Amino acid sequence: MAKYLFLKHYRGAPPMATDVPMSEWAPDDVEAHIQFMGDFADRLVETGEFVDGQALAPDGMWVRHDGAGRPPVTDGPFAETKDLIAGWMVVDVDTEDRAIELAGELSAAPGPDGEPILEWIEVRPFLATPPTPTDVV
Amino acid sequence: MNVSELRALVPRVLGVLVRRGADFATAEDAVQEALIAALDRAGDPPDDAQAWLVTVAWRKYLDLVRSDASRRTREAVVDLEPEGAPAAATDETLQLYFLCAHPDLTPSSAIALTLRAVGGLTTRQIATAYLVPERTMAQRISRAKRVVAAAGVDRPGDVVTVMRVLYLVFNEGYSGDVDLAAEAIRLTRQLVALVDDPEVHGLLALMLLHHARRAGRTRADGGIVPLAEQDRSRWDRALIQEGVTILQAALAHDRLGEYQAQAAIAALHADAPRVEETDWVQIVEWYDELLGITDTPIIRLNRAVAVGEADGAPAGLAALAQVDDDLPRRDAVAAHLHERNGDLELAASLYASAARKAPDIHERDHQIRQAARVHEQLRSGRW
């Protein structure tokens, strides 16, 4: 059993089938996409594999400590070149193959005219597998 | 009656309901609800907890059946036959272990079902221990029961699949308020009493021998303390003694299996008062036995470490050459052997690589510390 993070990107992923921003899709296509994402999460709850999922606003900033007694420095919004995360989903699955299968399904979310957007999903394993007790180094 | 005594009653109560004609999936839900009711009134325990649980679980079962219109036919049958054929409670509990380790279940489903139906943990506790939402865990358990029902209860798992499930639970360690290692030991102790198989004893011995050294193996922050640096006064001698005794009795049956062989290796480590007194030659011999039973890359990897200690680092590196490059932790072992062989440059880069490939955070931190230590040694050597 292992947890995987699925990352959806606004920017920074390899190019996908459509580069039309969602805000310019037909309203029904937007609804269908949102419905798909909700159904996808519900289905993973049903299979006992869902852990968490959240969407992120594209706006954001860099924050850094600026010395004691001073307010933190902020910088932003993010530069256009920055890899930008749109949201994530965490799944708890038996195998890496299963994680890849699910990410593949997520990638087929409907876009304009109901065509799959074939979005690239970044799949990252958690560093959380507990160590099997061994007597080696 | 404390909570663990209460939980130990769960498989028996479930057995009573099934014997009365209840279907497994619904009965299991009913027993879970009765258990939660019992936990809620922990301050006011009934005189006979088992009888109380049976009564409450049976009532919950009838409620569940009645609330499901599609089951009306079965309800009639159930009301007609409140007592089923008598069966020994031990046989029922063993059947329950087998059912929960059904070969059609994925490991995670088998684990969840075992912890609830045999272990008497609540869904919430299991969800917390495995860091998933309670609703997800509830669904995982329901699906597991549907899989078992669809596959047929006449083809349950066997003791081999049960042992695999229990060892997976043991290796999960502890998170949340449930110590899964301790829970796995409790369930394995119970299994030992139900089935006469030296491998089950071997598994129990293996768990005890690892568990006994947990305090020495783990830093306060959860980090790893390598074997050579462990404070052996923190090992639980009584638990080690129990593990060794159980292992010796198991080995006397002369039916060696992988858990007995692994326990023998753990016993040899536990037996050494100081790391310098470890009997590495015998450990290598046990690894050879283990390879004869099950030849896996991980066993070959661990054997290379033992060979390095018994016959020197070059021999260890030669043994390592036979291990697949892709194996997690291979770089960690290679780093260790190269360091002992005096090749600090290579060791430092291999430790760093081991940190990058580490599957868990404690392993990663440990390998980063090792890399930093060797780099420091390299710098001070040059100055």
Side-chain angles (χ1 to χ4, degrees), chain A residues 135, chain B residues 206 209 213 240 243-244 247 261-272:
Chain A
D135 287 311
Chain B
L206 176 63
L209 289 163
R213 294 178 290 151
I240 289 174
V244 168
L247 174 64
Q262 287 192 60
I265 292 165
L268 284 165
H269 285 300
D271 210 30

Side-chain angles (χ1 to χ4, degrees), chain A residues 99-120:
Chain A
I100 292 170
E101 180 186 357
L102 289 174
E105 290 173 22
L106 189 58
S107 160
D113 303 322
E115 290 295 315
I117 52 175
L118 307 184
E119 174 185 24
W120 288 90

Side-chain angles (χ1 to χ4, degrees), chain B residues 285-328:
Chain B
E285 286 169 10
W286 276 110
Y287 272 119
D288 290 337
E289 290 275 4
L290 195 50
L291 281 178
I293 300 164
T294 170
D295 188 346
T296 71
I298 292 169
I299 294 170
R300 285 186 174 270
L301 183 70
N302 293 348
R303 180 179 173 278
V305 175
V307 169
E309 299 293 339
D311 302 328
L317 286 166
L320 185 66
Q322 297 162 26
V323 179
D324 192 353
D325 279 348
D326 299 338
L327 195 66

Side-chain angles (χ1 to χ4, degrees), chain A residues 1 3 48 50 94 129 137, chain B residues 108 130 136 140 143 329 358 360:
Chain A
M1 218 49 198
K3 292 191 178 63
F50 181 81
D94 273 293
T129 318
V137 286
Chain B
S108 55
Y130 284 91
T136 295
R140 194 178 287 176
R143 279 176 76 90
R329 301 203 82 251
D360 71 85

Side-chain angles (χ1 to χ4, degrees), chain B residues 128-351:
Chain B
T128 309
Y130 284 91
L131 305 173
V132 299
E134 187 173 349
R135 205 155 67 93
T136 295
M137 189 52 80
Q139 286 299 335
R140 194 178 287 176
I141 291 165
S142 306
R143 279 176 76 90
K145 289 197 281 186
R146 284 204 295 275
V147 168
V148 168
V153 294
D154 50 336
R155 194 176 55 81
D158 56 23
V159 76
V160 174
T161 57
V162 172
M163 288 193 292
R164 198 174 302 139
V165 167
L166 294 178
Y167 197 44
L168 283 171
V169 173
F170 178 77
N171 285 332
E172 198 67 31
Y174 50 100
S175 62
D177 63 342
V178 179
D179 185 339
L180 289 174
E183 184 60 19
I185 289 173
R186 185 178 77 78
L187 295 180
T188 308
R189 282 188 192 281
Q190 201 170 280
L191 185 63
V192 158
L194 298 174
V195 61
D196 182 27
D197 183 332
E199 267 295 84
V200 181
H201 290 258
L203 176 63
L204 179 58
L206 176 63
M207 289 178 176
L208 294 174
L209 289 163
H210 278 315
H211 199 60
R213 294 178 290 151
R214 186 161 82 175
R217 194 172 57 232
T218 320
R219 297 157 56 115
D221 62 3
I224 298 168
V225 184
L227 183 66
E229 292 164 28
Q230 289 174 23
D231 175 359
R232 296 181 179 220
S233 70
R234 301 189 66 199
W235 292 359
D236 184 336
R237 284 285 148 202
L239 219 50
I240 289 174
Q241 191 48 54
E242 190 194 353
V244 168
T245 306
I246 290 169
L247 174 64
Q248 282 168 341
L251 290 173
H253 286 84
D254 208 16
R255 279 156 57 200
L256 190 62
E258 56 178 308
Y259 293 117
Q260 292 170 76
Q262 287 192 60
I265 292 165
L268 284 165
H269 285 300
D271 210 30
R274 297 182 307 131
V275 68
E276 296 79 10
E277 293 175 58
T278 309
D279 188 346
W280 289 103
V281 173
Q282 239 204 103
I283 289 175
V284 172
E285 286 169 10
W286 276 110
Y287 272 119
D288 290 337
E289 290 275 4
L290 195 50
L291 281 178
I293 300 164
T294 170
D295 188 346
T296 71
I298 292 169
I299 294 170
R300 285 186 174 270
L301 183 70
N302 293 348
R303 180 179 173 278
V305 175
V307 169
E309 299 293 339
D311 302 328
L317 286 166
L320 185 66
Q322 297 162 26
V323 179
D324 192 353
D325 279 348
D326 299 338
L327 195 66
R329 301 203 82 251
R330 188 189 193 278
D331 285 349
V333 169
H336 173 74
L337 289 169
H338 281 294
E339 184 184 354
R340 291 187 67 97
N341 206 28
D343 193 343
L344 297 191
E345 296 271 4
L346 184 51
S349 86
L350 283 165
Y351 279 130

